[in-house]
Amino acid sequence: MLVWSGEDQVDQARTELPAALSAILGQGWRVDVSGGEQFESVQDQTQTLRLIVMIIGAIVISLGALGLLNVAIVTVRQRIREIGIRRAMGASAGRVFFAVFMESVVATFVAGIIGVGIAIVILQFIPLESMDIILQDRPAFPTSAAAAGVGIASAVGALCGIIPAVAAIRVRPIDAIRY
């Protein structure tokens, strides 16, 4: 039998439940009370696991940001002539900055949306029964995690878009056209 009690009622439940159950069940039955003492250790293990997952996630996001930054810088280098022509035709530095910057932000936002969509599809169609996991109801997809994922992807895109955008506006139009 499982009995759930509040933290403030644990001691009372430990003393009164065995006596009450023994009286109901009669002689020949022994009532042992256990539980509650592992609750803190389970919480500590959960916090430790959460911290490890967050550290691994931060490392993965950092490596992805470095890759994105590298691609964005190479893209600006490949389009230096186009940027020079735009500047020579009258495009302001702010307009060029915004174009290069938003390219990175929009790309990572779309990638975040696609990633969340794939995660939803995988979680809905994963064969839990073949892995001997039986659930009465499938848990709902955590919308806060989805929003955080898209937000982090967009923020990484914004951070990785600043350096190439600054590099694009520092190029003089005449030098860029000759390049």
Side-chain angles (χ1 to χ4, degrees), residues 105-127:
V105 173
V106 169
T108 55
F109 177 78
V110 170
I113 295 288
I114 290 171
V116 167
I118 290 171
I120 290 171
V121 168
I122 287 172
L123 287 177
Q124 290 301 318
F125 295 110
I126 191 167

Side-chain angles (χ1 to χ4, degrees), residues 36-50:
E37 55 275 339
Q38 294 97 7
F39 184 71
E40 287 83 19
S41 67
V42 170
Q43 279 187 325
D44 291 342
Q45 290 173 353
T46 304
Q47 292 294 355
T48 303
L49 183 63
R50 181 174 288 186

